[in-house]
Amino acid sequence: MMSDSRTAGDGVARTRAGGISRRGFLAGSALSLGALGLAGCANPDGMSLAEAAKVYGPVPEEKFPIPAVDVSKVNPKYFRRTVRYETDEAPGTIIVDPKNYYVYRIEGEGMATRYGANVGREGFLWSGDAYVGRKSEWATWTPPKEMIKRQPEAAKYARGMPGGLDNPLGARTLHLYQNGVYTLYTIYATSDPESIGSGVTSGCVGLLSQDMIQLYNETPVKTKVVVLPA
């Protein structure tokens, strides 16, 4: 499910990304000359823009090389971070918090890896328990019939859109199931940094590609997914 501004269903389209700038200055005196460099502005979540630029840098080894994220377009509170998170859910469980635009992977001992996310827009939000029924790398995207009715322009992909940078599902996809049935909802990779922290999809949940690759690698099939009420 994705933003109606491009396509919808199992993903969201992507944008081009860039880097950030650095600034340095010199301070001197008659006795000494020192050099100071500003690597980036610190933020309350503990990751500077310079650090984020490394974490969300390009991934050239992928089948379709992934460009760097323009981190200046992401609110720093949505950068990946390890946080305290008390829950009775088992380690490995994924918890989606659409109200606050976060996805958590439970690590155990009261800790979790937290990712910024985009979520369903008004009218497409849902909650409940599911599980990862299958996983895909650079998956083919096929718009559901309901989406084609809403957006006739999606009909050209009725037989499937091959994987690639322009594919709404992105580099990695976790397909969510309930009782053996595919829900049509996914957790997917987005290259649109401006979508993080907003409700733009038709119910699916998007993470920045670099975050999604990490989550994908840590998540086996059958992993429990809890989507909290918005």
Side-chain angles (χ1 to χ4, degrees):
M1 314 312 167
M2 62 152 294
S3 168
D4 279 342
S5 64
R6 287 284 303 275
T7 83
D10 272 340
V12 68
R14 37 210 42 77
T15 61
R16 302 178 67 178
I20 64 170
S21 62
R22 294 192 176 202
R23 184 163 62 105
F25 67 89
L26 297 177
S29 69
L31 298 177
S32 65
L33 181 66
L36 298 176
L38 298 181
C41 299
N43 66 75
D45 276 349
M47 184 184 289
S48 70
L49 289 179
E51 292 169 328
K54 293 179 180 179
V55 170
Y56 297 105
V59 190
E61 65 273 17
E62 280 290 316
K63 179 179 179 180
F64 303 97
I66 298 171
V69 173
D70 184 349
V71 294
S72 69
K73 295 182 178 181
V74 182
N75 188 317
K77 70 181 181 179
Y78 297 123
F79 293 153
R80 185 193 314 167
R81 188 185 181 201
T82 299
V83 297
R84 295 290 306 177
Y85 193 89
E86 298 296 336
T87 179
D88 292 330
E89 299 293 346
T93 301
I94 295 172
I95 298 179
V96 179
D97 180 1
K99 182 177 181 181
N100 294 300
Y101 307 103
Y102 288 127
V103 169
Y104 297 86
R105 181 187 185 274
I106 304 306
E107 306 295 349
E109 299 184 353
M111 304 300 293
T113 301
R114 188 183 72 188
Y115 308 93
N118 64 41
V119 300
R121 64 189 184 277
E122 187 175 356
F124 289 85
L125 291 165
W126 65 283
S127 62
D129 292 353
Y131 63 90
V132 177
R134 58 189 174 94
K135 301 168 58 175
S136 301
E137 296 188 17
W138 299 106
T140 296
W141 172 70
T142 304
K145 294 179 180 179
E146 295 80 4
M147 181 195 314
I148 294 176
K149 290 180 180 179
R150 295 194 308 270
Q151 297 174 257
E153 65 273 18
K156 62 183 177 180
Y157 300 120
R159 295 186 178 181
M161 180 182 185
L165 292 176
D166 292 329
N167 185 298
L169 291 177
R172 302 290 189 276
T173 310
L174 301 177
H175 304 266
L176 304 186
Y177 282 64
Q178 291 176 325
N179 301 317
V181 178
Y182 181 34
T183 65
L184 299 183
Y185 295 118
T186 68
I187 303 175
Y188 69 96
T190 178
S191 295
D192 182 0
E194 293 179 279
S195 74
I196 301 301
S198 61
V200 296
T201 77
S202 295
C204 293
V205 177
L207 306 184
L208 292 170
S209 296
Q210 291 80 348
D211 284 342
M212 189 62 208
I213 289 173
Q214 186 194 67
L215 179 63
Y216 182 97
N217 290 341
E218 297 292 331
T219 302
V221 171
K222 301 299 184 184
T223 293
K224 182 178 181 180
V225 178
V226 179
V227 181
L228 302 175

